[in-house]
Amino acid sequence: MPPHPSSEPPHAGPVAPHPFSRRRLLGGAAAAGLAGTGLAAGLVQPAAADEGSVIVDGVKITKVKNLTGPDITGKFGLHYVDLGAVARVPDGRSIYIFGDSFGPAWGENWRSPTALWSSTRNLAAGVEFNGTPGGDSAKQLIPYEHGDEISTIIPSDVITIGNKTYLHAVVNQGFGNVIWSGIWVSKDNGENWEDSGARFPAAAYDKRWQLASWDIGADGWLYVYTSEFLRESTMILHRVRPWQITQPDKYQPWGKKDGRWRWGAEPTPLSDDIIGENSLRRFGDKWLHTWFDGPRYRIDCQVLDHPTQDLRTTPKFTMLHGTSWDNQDVNHLAQLYGSYIIPGSRLNDVHLTVSQWNTGDNSIYHVMQYRFEGLGRWADRA
């Protein structure tokens, strides 16, 4: 999502011009850069266990590995990719959905979205990919031409319900100019996708129904957090029955009316935070929400009792901070964005896909795996 690199990093701050940018590739749309300084990281002590970790407010943060790159996923034709929204598919594998994808050279053979499968269950050892829709070389999951009518389609989130997998994605006509978002369906573990016909107008709810993340509650409802694609809005909430996921008129908004929160009221922003690409997942009787906060240049999370709770009074934990390329360490990354929870995570052992893009020369445009141990302690503060 954008100004992020799958749309150019949804960054925060100007970036030095470069000869071949996503901005040019996407038709000249303005994309924000991520420059800016990382904010204070809280109480930090070096981890005793290994050099690749740091402990912040009792949470151990570790970079597990780079998941993509020319020498890693180039064998699938995915030399340069970002995002990596992920869900289990019916056959038990996990499917990772990427945004603007290129290879062998950056900018070459443009596809979006693309995907890789993984059978990895031991997340601590690092996710490995073992296949891609398209066979030997990754194909574009949705058939369309990158042109004036549609410049690119960026994945938002993915979920499996029963024997079908649903992909929510954002349709751009010039980067950042969203014309609508919609839902595609796969009946074969993500190999092939059909347009469900579901359309969410770009202008709906002050553009707050473009990006989406979702999961099913213990009560059987599918809860959906949505915000603006360009990371310029607060977030709203809807719910829908899972079997009506492709029927936009069945989604019930959550809003405050006459001093009381209720379903069916005009949706009211859940907090004052600006929400970029995000991930909402349930862990038993708790929920975890992660998101890229462009204005603060960082990835934050909240442990929730329920998606409807008051997010303004819910404690936040900063998982990763943005910084410059010459000041990186374990939890401070240059031009970071994204944040998608990997299946197999537990509240006390969360794994995320995190994206990074060096917009100066496009030498780095990849997805990484990060691990966060101990977030369960924040559940007591929810």
Side-chain angles (χ1 to χ4, degrees), residues 10-12 34-42 231 273-277 290-302 315-323 331-333 335-339 352 354:
H11 329 4
L34 274 171
T37 340
L39 301 178
R231 310 178 185 129
D273 292 313
I274 302 302
I275 306 295
E277 48 274 23
T290 69
W291 72 95
F292 178 77
D293 184 328
R296 296 184 177 97
Y297 193 13
R298 67 195 196 194
I299 292 173
D300 280 350
C301 73
Q302 289 177 308
K316 287 186 289 188
F317 176 76
T318 296
M319 308 178 88
L320 296 169
H321 295 268
T323 190
N331 64 326
H332 291 78
L333 303 175
Q335 295 192 255
L336 81 168
Y337 59 105
S339 76
L352 291 186
V354 177

Side-chain angles (χ1 to χ4, degrees), residues 341-368:
I341 300 167
I342 298 175
S345 294
R346 294 174 288 109
L347 194 55
N348 268 318
D349 192 2
V350 172
H351 290 254
L352 291 186
T353 60
V354 177
S355 295
Q356 189 176 39
W357 182 17
N358 186 337
T359 54
D361 59 12
N362 302 316
S363 59
I364 295 175
Y365 179 68
H366 64 189
V367 179
M368 304 166 286

Side-chain angles (χ1 to χ4, degrees), residues 75-77 109 111 132-139:
K75 61 186 177 182
F76 298 109
N109 192 16
R111 293 145 290 157
T132 182
D136 294 334
S137 184
K139 66 180 179 180

Side-chain angles (χ1 to χ4, degrees), residues 7 19 24 38 65 67 71 90 97-99 105 112 164 167 171 175 206 220 242 276 292 310 347 352 359:
S7 350
R24 178 178 298 178
K65 64 184 297 189
L67 291 179
D71 297 333
I97 310 289
F98 304 104
S112 185
K164 297 179 182 178
L167 169 65
V171 181
F175 188 70
D206 294 327
F292 178 77
D310 185 353
L347 194 55
L352 291 186
T359 54

Side-chain angles (χ1 to χ4, degrees), residues 52-344:
S53 300
V54 66
I55 295 175
V56 180
D57 290 343
V59 177
K60 183 180 179 183
I61 302 171
T62 306
K63 179 180 177 180
V64 178
K65 64 184 297 189
N66 290 336
L67 291 179
T68 70
D71 297 333
I72 304 170
T73 50
K75 61 186 177 182
F76 298 109
L78 296 177
H79 300 70
Y80 298 92
V81 300
D82 71 347
L83 300 185
V86 54
R88 286 240 207 272
V89 289
D91 70 4
R93 292 177 293 173
S94 293
I95 190 166
Y96 291 70
I97 310 289
F98 304 104
D100 292 326
S101 307
F102 310 106
W106 198 95
E108 183 177 58
N109 192 16
W110 186 9
R111 293 145 290 157
S112 185
T114 60
L116 290 170
W117 287 300
S118 173
S119 299
T120 300
R121 291 304 175 97
N122 180 9
L123 297 181
V127 170
E128 299 286 344
F129 297 115
N130 56 5
T132 182
D136 294 334
S137 184
K139 66 180 179 180
Q140 182 170 278
L141 303 182
I142 300 170
Y144 71 96
E145 296 292 329
H146 297 263
D148 294 337
E149 185 175 349
I150 295 177
S151 57
T152 190
I153 298 178
I154 304 298
S156 183
D157 203 0
V158 60
I159 190 172
T160 293
I161 301 173
N163 61 359
K164 297 179 182 178
T165 303
Y166 298 85
L167 169 65
H168 182 277
V170 186
V171 181
N172 286 255
Q173 189 177 54
F175 188 70
N177 179 32
V178 177
I179 49 179
W180 50 273
S181 63
I183 296 175
W184 284 260
V185 186
S186 174
K187 302 174 184 176
D188 55 8
N189 303 298
E191 176 68 41
N192 298 291
W193 296 82
E194 301 173 359
D195 188 344
S196 74
R199 296 287 183 274
F200 302 92
Y205 304 121
D206 294 327
K207 300 183 180 180
R208 290 188 182 93
W209 205 345
Q210 296 179 359
L211 281 182
S213 188
W214 48 25
D215 205 356
I216 298 174
D219 56 5
W221 286 94
L222 177 70
Y223 291 89
V224 190
Y225 280 164
T226 62
S227 59
E228 185 178 358
F229 180 71
L230 282 176
R231 310 178 185 129
E232 294 178 348
S233 82
T234 50
M235 184 175 69
I236 59 174
L237 169 66
H238 284 75
R239 71 175 183 180
V240 68
R241 290 300 187 185
W243 57 88
Q244 296 175 325
I245 187 174
T246 60
Q247 301 176 50
D249 61 330
K250 300 297 185 182
Y251 284 64
Q252 300 177 6
W254 176 248
K256 196 171 187 179
K257 185 176 181 180
D258 299 328
R260 188 171 74 87
W261 287 87
R262 65 186 70 182
W263 292 108
E266 185 73 11
T268 303
L270 301 173
S271 74
D272 301 318
D273 292 313
I274 302 302
I275 306 295
E277 48 274 23
N278 64 340
S279 187
L280 175 68
R281 294 293 185 265
R282 180 169 68 93
F283 293 90
D285 61 353
K286 297 292 182 180
W287 295 70
L288 180 66
H289 179 229
T290 69
W291 72 95
F292 178 77
D293 184 328
R296 296 184 177 97
Y297 193 13
R298 67 195 196 194
I299 292 173
D300 280 350
C301 73
Q302 289 177 308
V303 177
L304 315 174
D305 289 324
H306 196 269
T308 58
Q309 78 185 53
D310 185 353
L311 301 187
R312 289 180 174 86
T313 61
T314 300
K316 287 186 289 188
F317 176 76
T318 296
M319 308 178 88
L320 296 169
H321 295 268
T323 190
S324 60
W325 287 100
D326 57 354
N327 282 301
Q328 297 190 96
D329 56 30
V330 175
N331 64 326
H332 291 78
L333 303 175
Q335 295 192 255
L336 81 168
Y337 59 105
S339 76
Y340 301 94
I341 300 167
I342 298 175

